[in-house]
Amino acid sequence: MKDRVHKFEKFIEDNEAKRRRAIHKYQTELRLKEQKNYEFEVLKEQLEELRNRHMSLCDKLARYKKFEEYLTRVLDDLPENYLEVNNESMLTSIMDRHKTLTSTNNNLIEKVAGLYDGMENENQTLDDMKYNHNQNILVINRQLAELQSVQEQTVVDTTQMEEVVINKQDNFRHQVE
């Protein structure tokens, strides 16, 4: 009987060990399942983003298709040696030419804007100079008017003095006669 009890206890211990291993395995697999579910969701989101980007790029490609067709027609109409081609396609050469012309145009626009600003500054300076000149003319005219008044007063005073002198001379002559 002891033998049977010992075998039974061993059986229970083995079952308990199996149960612990099964619980541990279950918990490990549960964590692994959660991790895999999280990775699955992340991959699903990435797939959705990639699909959206693919759709966006397809739309962009469709929108730009007309430009490619236009450039192809332009290429067909150009003379053969119109653009230098150094191991590049004519399409690339045309686009490079467009970039160059656009850049030059932008530089010219900036230059004109700068010159316009300079012109506005110079016009402001000219207006200030005209204003100052007009102010100087007013001051000079006022001074001239004052001097003319002084001169007129001097002429009047001189005339009066001459009359006084003439009267005195006449009186002196009359007294002498």
Side-chain angles (χ1 to χ4, degrees):
M1 174 99 165
K2 261 185 172 181
D3 203 24
R4 282 180 102 193
V5 169
H6 183 57
K7 280 184 183 181
F8 184 70
E9 285 178 358
K10 180 145 174 110
F11 174 75
I12 290 178
E13 285 176 13
D14 287 344
N15 278 348
E16 185 62 28
K18 285 180 185 179
R19 186 182 73 76
R20 280 192 301 256
R21 281 193 308 266
I23 289 173
H24 179 69
K25 185 177 178 182
Y26 170 76
Q27 290 172 345
T28 304
E29 287 180 1
L30 187 61
R31 282 191 301 258
L32 186 62
K33 178 186 175 194
E34 288 172 359
Q35 181 182 356
K36 293 295 180 183
N37 281 340
Y38 175 75
E39 289 174 4
F40 176 74
E41 291 300 320
V42 168
L43 288 174
K44 235 168 70 171
E45 288 175 9
Q46 288 177 351
L47 178 63
E48 187 62 31
E49 288 174 8
L50 288 173
R51 282 183 178 153
N52 290 339
R53 184 157 192 265
H54 180 262
M55 294 280 287
S56 171
L57 289 174
C58 285
D59 290 345
K60 199 173 192 180
L61 184 65
R63 282 195 321 263
Y64 289 157
K65 185 70 175 166
K66 60 185 170 188
F67 298 114
E68 181 184 10
E69 291 169 357
Y70 171 74
L71 288 175
T72 304
R73 282 183 289 166
V74 167
L75 279 175
D76 293 341
D77 292 341
L78 285 178
E80 284 189 33
N81 293 328
Y82 179 71
L83 295 171
E84 293 181 21
V85 180
N86 300 327
N87 297 329
E88 297 177 7
S89 71
M90 289 287 280
L91 209 55
T92 305
S93 296
I94 288 176
M95 290 190 307
D96 289 343
R97 178 76 174 141
H98 179 265
K99 285 178 189 174
T100 302
L101 292 174
T102 302
S103 173
T104 303
N105 186 44
N106 290 338
N107 290 340
L108 289 173
I109 288 171
E110 289 174 9
K111 187 174 183 179
V112 166
L115 290 173
Y116 183 75
D117 291 342
M119 185 184 74
E120 285 182 346
N121 291 338
E122 294 301 321
N123 281 339
Q124 183 62 42
T125 303
L126 178 63
D127 290 343
D128 292 344
M129 289 173 72
K130 284 179 181 178
Y131 175 78
N132 289 335
H133 181 69
N134 288 336
Q135 291 299 317
N136 286 336
I137 288 173
L138 290 174
V139 167
I140 290 170
N141 284 340
R142 183 179 48 81
Q143 290 172 348
L144 181 62
E146 289 173 1
L147 289 173
Q148 283 177 342
S149 293
V150 168
Q151 182 197 15
E152 289 172 0
Q153 186 62 40
T154 305
V155 167
V156 166
D157 289 346
T158 305
T159 306
Q160 286 176 355
M161 285 183 172
E162 285 176 352
E163 287 178 6
V164 167
V165 168
I166 290 174
N167 284 339
K168 282 188 179 183
Q169 281 176 350
D170 281 344
N171 284 340
F172 184 69
R173 274 192 213 151
H174 283 309
Q175 284 177 1
V176 174
E177 295 178 352

